[in-house]
Amino acid sequence: MRKRLRIDITRSAIAAAVIFFVLTSGFMLHRFYSFYHSYSSFDQGIFNQVFWNGIHGRFFQSSLSSYLSSAVLHDGNLPTVFYHRLGQHFTPALFLWLPIYALSPSSPTLLVLQAALMTAAGLVLYALARVYLSPQLSTMITVSFYAANVVIGPTLANFHDSCQLPLYMFGLLLALEKRWWWLFAGLAVLLLGVREDSGILLFSVGFYLVLSRRYPRIGLILCTLSFGYMLVLTNLVMPLFSDDISRRFMIEQFGGYIEGSEASTLDVIWALLSNPWLLIKEIFTPFGRTIQYLL
């Protein structure tokens, strides 16, 4: 029997969501209108420019992103106004929020949108917890989500495309538990569209489904889809816009594993597999700071 798409939420969980949204959006708007910068203020400018260009038909163009391109940083060229950011980060899921931005095309709209997405993620987490837990425990989990440093910190920073991930991920898991397969498929596609590396999250879900033997066929499909998507995207699609993925991002993030000034994702994967002990060392060192981060 198909389960109904209905979710009952306690007043306490709703109250926690309202408090979280009011506080986070209020603090972000206060910081913005007070001209107080944060560590990611440049990213705020990039996304505001991408959205502004998007509602005017210049999709994913950003002169600020051009300033960070390998053509400027490595070759000494001047930034261009028509640079397509898709060569740095492939983020088609942002299309979904263009109509909201068009209602009030400004940076504060993105800040409120980020607070709203994170708030909605907490409510979906509550619904996910209710599949197996009591309303009281589910409410406590929701409150702990809103109170977590790893949630508050990024939310209070400036807008970033990763703010979509918790909502899509929790929704994907909820759809899995409820067997809402149409919603599951849609959220899987949206998850892949957030960033070029968000396929790792979808791959982890597929790996769990295979390992737990709950839905091994679906898990195998997810693993194949996500891994193949990331490989095709980073090796064939993104290089059509720029060579930043191979000349900048792979070198900046994985330069310790590879030689030379350019590398593809396939080169990085092979380097990681060829140096497993170095990978383990990088994961667990420095040990004290690693434990502190996990706590």
Side-chain angles (χ1 to χ4, degrees):
M1 180 180 296
R2 180 179 297 178
K3 299 183 179 180
R4 293 179 299 172
L5 186 59
R6 180 181 176 183
I7 301 172
D8 296 321
I9 303 177
T10 63
R11 293 181 179 179
S12 298
I14 294 176
V18 171
I19 292 173
F20 177 83
F21 175 77
V22 171
L23 290 179
T24 53
S25 59
F27 282 136
M28 285 190 290
L29 291 175
H30 173 72
R31 184 192 66 224
F32 178 82
Y33 287 113
S34 299
F35 298 99
Y36 185 80
H37 69 87
S38 74
Y39 64 89
S40 58
S41 295
F42 195 81
D43 284 345
Q44 179 74 27
I46 290 177
F47 285 109
N48 188 51
Q49 190 179 55
V50 167
F51 273 89
W52 176 270
N53 283 332
I55 63 174
H56 290 87
R58 299 182 292 272
F59 300 111
F60 299 104
Q61 291 186 16
S62 171
S63 59
L64 294 177
S65 293
S66 177
Y67 177 78
L68 299 175
S69 66
S70 59
V72 174
L73 296 178
H74 299 154
D75 299 335
N77 296 327
L78 293 175
T80 60
V81 296
F82 49 82
Y83 175 85
H84 284 85
R85 187 174 179 269
L86 296 177
Q88 294 182 2
H89 294 295
F90 200 80
T91 57
L94 293 179
F95 264 122
L96 188 63
W97 312 112
L98 281 180
I100 294 179
Y101 181 84
L103 297 176
S104 180
S106 61
S107 280
T109 301
L110 297 181
L111 299 178
V112 175
L113 174 61
Q114 176 160 279
L117 289 173
M118 295 300 294
T119 301
L123 294 176
V124 176
L125 176 61
Y126 172 88
L128 177 61
R130 281 290 291 120
V131 175
Y132 295 106
L133 303 176
S134 66
Q136 292 76 16
L137 286 176
S138 300
T139 300
M140 292 175 64
I141 290 175
T142 302
V143 172
S144 67
F145 171 79
Y146 289 139
N149 287 335
V150 294
V151 173
I152 295 176
T155 303
L156 290 180
N158 287 306
F159 181 86
H160 201 275
D161 46 26
S162 59
C163 68
Q164 304 168 92
L165 291 175
L167 177 61
Y168 296 158
M169 191 64 177
F170 294 154
L172 182 82
L173 296 177
L174 177 62
L176 174 67
E177 296 298 334
K178 295 290 188 177
R179 298 183 183 181
W180 296 329
W181 299 120
W182 58 270
L183 182 60
F184 182 85
L187 288 172
V189 173
L190 284 175
L191 193 62
L192 290 176
V194 173
R195 283 170 62 99
E196 68 282 353
D197 52 1
S198 57
I200 297 175
L201 296 177
L202 193 62
F203 184 90
S204 66
V205 174
F207 185 75
Y208 159 74
L209 294 179
V210 173
L211 196 64
S212 65
R213 298 182 180 179
R214 292 188 62 186
Y215 302 103
R217 292 184 179 179
I218 295 178
L220 186 60
I221 292 174
L222 291 182
C223 289
T224 304
L225 173 65
S226 57
F227 188 71
Y229 175 81
M230 289 187 292
L231 288 183
V232 171
L233 191 62
T234 55
N235 288 279
L236 298 178
V237 179
M238 293 177 66
L240 296 176
F241 299 97
S242 71
D243 56 3
D244 291 321
I245 189 71
S246 59
R247 295 186 61 196
R248 184 187 158 211
F249 290 99
M250 291 296 102
I251 300 301
E252 290 179 357
Q253 300 297 326
F254 304 100
Y257 298 92
I258 54 181
E259 298 179 356
S261 58
E262 186 173 350
S264 66
T265 51
L266 290 173
D267 295 329
V268 170
I269 292 174
W270 174 249
L272 294 175
L273 295 177
S274 303
N275 299 278
W277 294 114
L278 179 60
L279 176 61
I280 294 174
K281 177 183 176 182
E282 292 292 335
I283 292 176
F284 292 100
T285 58
F287 184 76
R289 293 181 61 185
T290 301
I291 297 299
Q292 183 180 11
Y293 173 79
L294 293 176
L295 295 177

